[in-house]
Amino acid sequence: MQVRLRSITREAEGINAYEFVDPAGAALPPFSAGSHIDVHVGPNLLRHYSLCNDPRERHRYVIGVLNVAGGRGGSKAMHENVRVGDLMTISAPRNNFPLAEDASRHLLLAGGIGITPMMAMVETLSAHGADFRLLYCSRSAKLTAFRDRLTPHTEGDRVAFHHDEGDPARGLDVVAALREHEPGTHLYCCGPKGLMAAVQAASAHWPAGTVHFEFFSAPLAAPAAARDAGLDTFQVRLASSGATYTVPPEKSIVQVLRDNDVEVETSCEAGICGTCRTRYLEGAPAHRDLVLSDEEHAEFVLICCARSRTELLVLDR
């Protein structure tokens, strides 16, 4: 859908917030805490960004974007090319990082720009009077986005800022923070790879299903389920046309389809955003993604990263 960029706000050094509204002033599709949207930031350039405003707001979407040095071009395009008033194309919100409905307590752990999905969580949990705490790690106060919105929550110790001033030795002690698991507590983490890996290791003893991650890029050590090898070579068939293509070891399903002029929309191409989610009709995928649930795996596959455990995989497209 098309939206208009109504405002750009500097939230911290190198971090801008972008506010989108419907061009005609209509309400936007609803979203829940943890949701993201895909943004077309340029020709053949699609990126996903977490929504960081209050989910109760229906008149706007707000995202936060860090200008990443040496990135893949999405953040640079957002910071340098878009202007207030621009019409832009986005997807409807999707949620791969929802709040657990059965949790009695929520522990949010954010690093740097990983604060973006946590902002909507804070708004939702506060509105419901839920028991939560946010630990927000950043290098310094000037690199801390949304500080003004979060500061009121520090009075009840619901939000704690941690600045390491660039010294790893002064980083948050995640081992100590996650040593004890209080029954009913769910953990949510988003941030740089190093922080995510440390949290993953420190929370390994937490009960299954109580730890949730939002990845911006493929993790340093992917869970075993994400390393399903599948066959080196297999065939993929499109149900709509019957066209069948061979997927060799060195190419993904997406790459093979594009080589044959089949248009496929992707963003991360690492199995972490869900943009290329496709229903399959026959065969057994070797799932390598980090976002689909076991129930979704029974029906869908992320064709940017998956292989196949059968000679033929039939896609519903």
Side-chain angles (χ1 to χ4, degrees):
M1 57 185 171
Q2 275 204 324
V3 290
R4 188 175 301 281
L5 180 58
R6 185 163 73 174
S7 68
I8 302 174
T9 306
R10 187 178 187 272
E11 287 292 343
E13 189 174 293
I15 300 176
N16 288 343
Y18 298 81
E19 179 190 31
F20 300 115
V21 297
D22 182 86
L28 294 169
F31 71 97
S32 55
S35 294
H36 71 271
I37 56 173
D38 295 328
V39 181
H40 293 258
V41 298
N44 301 314
L45 198 57
L46 184 74
R47 295 292 181 265
H48 65 282
Y49 298 106
S50 298
L51 292 170
C52 56
N53 56 305
D54 190 330
R56 292 173 295 180
E57 297 177 339
R58 294 292 307 280
H59 65 289
R60 65 175 188 157
Y61 293 151
V62 181
I63 61 173
V65 182
L66 169 67
N67 194 359
V68 181
R72 295 185 298 146
S75 66
K76 182 178 180 181
M78 288 294 294
H79 276 257
E80 297 181 5
N81 299 342
V82 305
R83 299 289 183 270
V84 171
D86 285 354
L87 284 175
M88 300 184 69
T89 301
I90 67 171
S91 71
R94 294 196 304 275
N95 199 340
N96 300 323
F97 190 49
L99 289 167
E101 295 182 359
D102 60 343
S104 58
R105 182 174 180 268
H106 305 265
L107 177 59
L108 318 178
L109 210 165
I113 194 60
I115 189 61
T116 49
M118 307 299 185
M119 295 304 300
M121 290 183 172
V122 168
E123 298 284 4
T124 296
L125 294 170
S126 296
H128 288 86
D131 184 2
F132 76 92
R133 189 161 193 250
L134 166 66
L135 303 177
Y136 181 9
C137 307
S138 58
R139 179 167 295 186
S140 64
K142 67 180 181 180
L143 296 173
T144 304
F146 308 110
R147 190 178 184 92
D148 289 345
R149 279 176 60 187
L150 291 170
T151 296
H153 296 286
T154 60
E155 294 182 5
D157 200 33
R158 284 185 160 184
V159 171
F161 299 105
H162 185 92
H163 307 309
D164 63 17
E165 304 300 336
D167 181 0
R170 298 173 60 182
L172 178 69
D173 187 346
V174 295
V175 173
L178 304 177
R179 182 174 290 120
E180 301 295 334
H181 174 261
E182 181 180 322
T185 300
H186 279 243
L187 169 67
Y188 311 82
C189 180
C190 185
K193 284 185 177 181
L195 175 66
M196 301 275 271
V199 170
Q200 194 170 34
S203 62
H205 62 287
W206 282 44
T210 62
V211 181
H212 315 274
F213 294 96
E214 174 80 322
F215 294 100
F216 290 142
S217 58
L220 293 172
R227 298 196 295 268
D228 192 345
L231 298 176
D232 287 339
T233 302
F234 59 95
Q235 291 189 316
V236 62
R237 178 177 297 160
L238 305 186
S240 59
S241 64
T244 303
Y245 309 108
T246 298
V247 182
E250 70 277 8
K251 289 191 174 184
S252 68
I253 298 174
V254 163
Q255 290 171 324
V256 168
L257 294 181
R258 285 176 174 165
D259 287 346
N260 289 278
D261 300 320
V262 178
E263 186 175 338
V264 183
E265 194 170 76
T266 62
S267 177
C268 71
E269 298 199 20
I272 59 173
C273 75
T275 302
C276 65
R277 188 176 81 157
T278 303
R279 180 177 283 104
Y280 64 94
L281 304 177
E282 295 179 32
H287 297 286
R288 294 179 170 184
D289 65 272
L290 297 170
V291 296
L292 297 185
S293 65
D294 291 341
E295 291 78 12
E296 290 173 311
H297 278 158
E299 185 177 1
F300 297 98
V301 60
L302 296 195
I303 58 175
C304 70
C305 62
R307 306 298 291 175
S308 179
R309 287 186 273 115
T310 51
E311 296 288 344
L312 176 66
L313 188 64
V314 180
L315 303 179
D316 186 17
R317 58 176 299 139

